């Protein structure tokens, strides 16, 4: 089957998204992100299974796989990308039935792949994404789920092939979508759009010249969008923007000098940002900010001294954030924070002793956060948490259930 190449959420990635034997995918979020809201994870898994049933037909004759991925909800349908021998990897839509599953548009005509990826729901009306029509390179597109309503937003970097603007990361705030785009002379910088060519513009060239600041990990707080970006003198640090050049600024240089603190996993909860950063003293640890220099501080040194707990996979649940981290004693396990040192705690040592459960694909579903974790007797299976120790529970041994139905 066509291979799926996955890259972590919103991080800039310069690897080719390729064609031919390996129709590539860069996944902005876990596939089950389409199933947020009132749909349960179990329903999500069944929805993916339904899509997989006709995969041989999608891929072509025989037992080939269409490898549906990048599922995202739009109204009462789900948009996704899938592979067929006739059209390559393109944009599809489904209402959950075989008859209601169809190709939306063959963006790159013929058997080549446009590789639609980085799907981002916008205003509940369209999905914005990155695609290559074979003429303009990777550019920003929009779709309302119809052929006529699937159009390029703007050719930010005009030209064929090598003229791609490569808009890899996106974040919405105040009816506008911010993204990282390369106009050809600036490198990847901060752009904004309202979904039309006329409203698509460069906000600020944070790192002047052709290198680019590569903004990524966008999160909204108040009337601003905050993100990680790099410049020549400070390295990679936290920035915020109100959509104007003057209002786009560095929040705080956490690691003075050009090395940078490598800010990532920026997540907004109300008016508070949570993120991972390395100040050069404590290692990569959990930080918080409200977008000002004075409010930006270390929450807790989870793995003390210069060791790094490397918190990652942040998911908001109410006023708290669930994430995974390694405290140096329990291995990588699920944690939660309310923004205070005392309120930053290990939820459960799922795999006791020196081993680790390594939680993956954390996703909010209703009032729960679901994730995959490796337990000592069942292997990697689904878990869920409500953000408390007692509410962090094993869901089911899916592998055993599957074997019972074979």
């Amino acid at each position: 089957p066509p291979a799926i190449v996955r890259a972590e959420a919103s991080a800039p990635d310069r690897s080719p998204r390729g064609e031919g034997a390996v129709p590539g995918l860069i996944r902005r979020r876990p596939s089950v992100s389409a199933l947020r809201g009132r749909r349960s994870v179990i329903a999500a898994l069944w929805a993916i299974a339904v899509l997989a049933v006709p995969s041989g037909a999608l891929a072509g004759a025989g037992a080939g796989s269409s490898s549906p991925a990048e599922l995202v909800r739009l109204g009462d349908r789900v948009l996704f990308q899938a592979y067929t021998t006739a059209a390559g990897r393109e944009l599809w839509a489904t209402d959950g039935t075989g008859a209601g599953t169809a190709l939306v548009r063959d963006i790159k005509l013929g058997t080549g792949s446009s590789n639609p990826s980085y799907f981002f729901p916008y205003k509940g009306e369209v999905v914005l994404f990155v695609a290559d029509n074979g003429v303009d390179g990777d550019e920003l597109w929009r779709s309302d789920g119809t052929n006529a309503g699937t159009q390029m937003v703007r050719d930010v970097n005009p030209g064929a092939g090598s003229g791609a603007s490569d808009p890899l990361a996106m974040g919405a705030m105040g009816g506008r979508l911010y993204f990282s785009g390369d106009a050809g002379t600036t490198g990847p910088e901060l752009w904004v759009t309202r979904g039309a060519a006329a409203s698509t513009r460069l906000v600020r060239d944070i790192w002047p010249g052709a290198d680019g600041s590569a903004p990524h990990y966008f999160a909204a707080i108040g009337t601003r969008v905050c993100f990680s970006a790099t410049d020549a003198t400070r390295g990679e640090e936290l920035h915020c923007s109100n959509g104007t050049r003057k209002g786009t600024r560095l929040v705080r240089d956490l690691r003075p000098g050009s090395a940078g603190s490598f800010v990532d996993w920026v997540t907004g909860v109300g008016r508070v940002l949570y993120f991972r950063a390395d100040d050069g003293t404590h290692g990569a640890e959990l930080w918080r900010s409200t977008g000002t220099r004075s409010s930006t501080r270390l929450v807790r040194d989870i793995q003390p001294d210069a060791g790094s707990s490397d918190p990652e996979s942040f998911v908001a649940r109410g006023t708290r954030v669930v994430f995974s981290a390694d405290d140096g004693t329990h291995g990588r396990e699920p944690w939660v924070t309310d923004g205070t040192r005392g309120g930053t705690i290990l939820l459960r040592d799922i795999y006791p002793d020196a081993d680790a459960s390594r939680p993956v694909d954390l996703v909010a579903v209703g009032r729960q956060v679901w994730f995959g974790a490796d337990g000592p007797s069942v292997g990697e299976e689904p878990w869920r948490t409500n953000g408390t120790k007692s509410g962090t529970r094993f869901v089911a041994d899916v592998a055993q259930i599957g074997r019972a139905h074979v």
Side-chain angles (χ1 to χ4, degrees):
I4 297 177
V5 180
R6 292 181 173 87
E8 195 44 78
S10 298
D13 182 83
R14 297 291 177 255
S15 60
R17 296 193 297 140
E19 295 182 27
V22 185
L25 158 66
I26 296 180
R27 187 181 66 173
R28 191 181 62 82
R29 294 196 184 279
S31 298
V32 292
S33 63
L35 313 159
R36 289 179 179 175
R38 299 180 181 179
R39 302 177 68 183
S40 71
V41 166
I42 298 302
L45 296 173
W46 278 110
I48 293 172
V50 167
L51 290 174
V53 168
S55 63
L58 281 171
S65 173
S66 66
S67 298
E70 290 263 358
L71 288 80
V72 63
R73 186 176 178 179
L74 182 63
D76 59 357
R77 295 191 298 166
V78 169
L79 269 60
F80 61 101
Q81 59 143 275
Y83 175 81
T84 66
T85 54
R89 186 168 290 281
E90 294 291 349
L91 179 66
W92 286 69
T94 185
D95 61 4
T97 68
T101 302
L103 176 69
V104 175
R105 179 172 175 178
D106 187 3
I107 295 173
K108 186 173 183 178
L109 296 175
T111 59
S113 299
S114 70
N115 289 314
S117 54
Y118 283 92
F119 287 23
F120 197 101
Y122 181 61
K123 294 184 176 181
E125 302 169 354
V126 298
V127 169
L128 294 167
F129 60 97
V130 180
D132 178 359
N133 62 6
V135 176
D136 302 296
D138 286 332
E139 295 289 351
L140 186 65
W141 285 67
R142 57 178 286 161
S143 179
D144 62 3
T146 68
N147 184 293
T150 302
Q151 303 286 338
M152 186 191 303
V153 174
R154 177 179 168 182
D155 188 0
V156 170
N157 187 2
S162 62
S165 69
D166 211 17
L168 294 182
M170 306 179 196
M173 177 67 228
R176 294 177 291 187
L177 181 106
Y178 293 83
F179 65 97
S180 173
D182 184 352
T185 57
T186 61
E189 289 292 351
L190 182 65
W191 284 68
V192 68
T193 185
R194 290 185 181 273
S199 65
T200 305
R201 60 178 175 82
L202 175 69
V203 177
R204 182 167 185 174
D205 188 359
I206 296 171
W207 185 348
D211 288 320
S213 64
H216 60 286
Y217 280 110
F218 292 89
I221 57 166
T223 58
R224 294 176 296 169
V225 64
C226 299
F227 52 94
S228 178
T230 304
D231 67 27
T233 58
R234 300 181 183 91
E236 186 178 349
E237 296 288 354
L238 182 66
H239 291 67
C240 287
S241 176
N242 63 2
T244 68
R245 184 186 186 283
K246 186 177 181 180
T248 302
R249 302 174 180 174
L250 171 74
V251 174
R252 179 178 171 184
D253 188 1
L254 296 180
R255 188 172 186 171
S258 60
S261 63
F262 301 101
V263 169
D264 55 13
W265 291 107
V266 183
T267 303
V269 180
R271 293 182 176 271
V272 179
L273 293 169
Y274 294 90
F275 58 96
R276 178 175 69 187
D278 182 350
D279 63 1
T281 301
H282 300 93
E285 294 292 348
L286 176 66
W287 289 69
R288 61 167 285 169
S289 176
T290 59
T292 65
R293 188 184 189 285
S294 61
S295 68
T296 304
R297 60 176 176 81
L298 178 69
V299 176
R300 178 175 175 179
D301 190 1
I302 296 173
Q303 189 171 137
D305 303 320
S308 296
S309 70
D310 282 323
E312 62 183 29
S313 302
F314 293 13
V315 174
R317 187 209 169 269
T319 59
R320 295 181 293 173
V321 171
V322 177
F323 59 98
S324 75
D326 180 356
D327 64 2
T329 301
H330 301 93
R332 181 162 297 278
E333 296 289 350
W335 285 66
V336 69
T337 185
D338 62 2
T340 68
R341 187 186 186 285
T344 302
I345 59 172
L346 173 69
L347 282 173
R348 183 165 177 173
D349 187 5
I350 294 174
Y351 208 129
D353 303 322
D355 291 305
S357 69
R358 297 179 297 278
V360 294
D361 288 343
L362 281 71
V363 61
V365 181
R367 297 184 177 182
Q368 303 276 336
V369 173
W370 287 62
F371 57 95
D374 189 2
S377 59
V378 296
E380 187 174 329
E381 295 291 351
W383 287 70
R384 66 181 180 182
T385 182
N386 62 2
T388 67
K389 286 178 175 288
S390 61
T392 302
R393 301 174 180 177
F394 173 68
V395 176
D397 187 345
V398 176
Q400 184 177 20
I401 294 171
R403 287 191 294 271
H405 287 80
V406 173

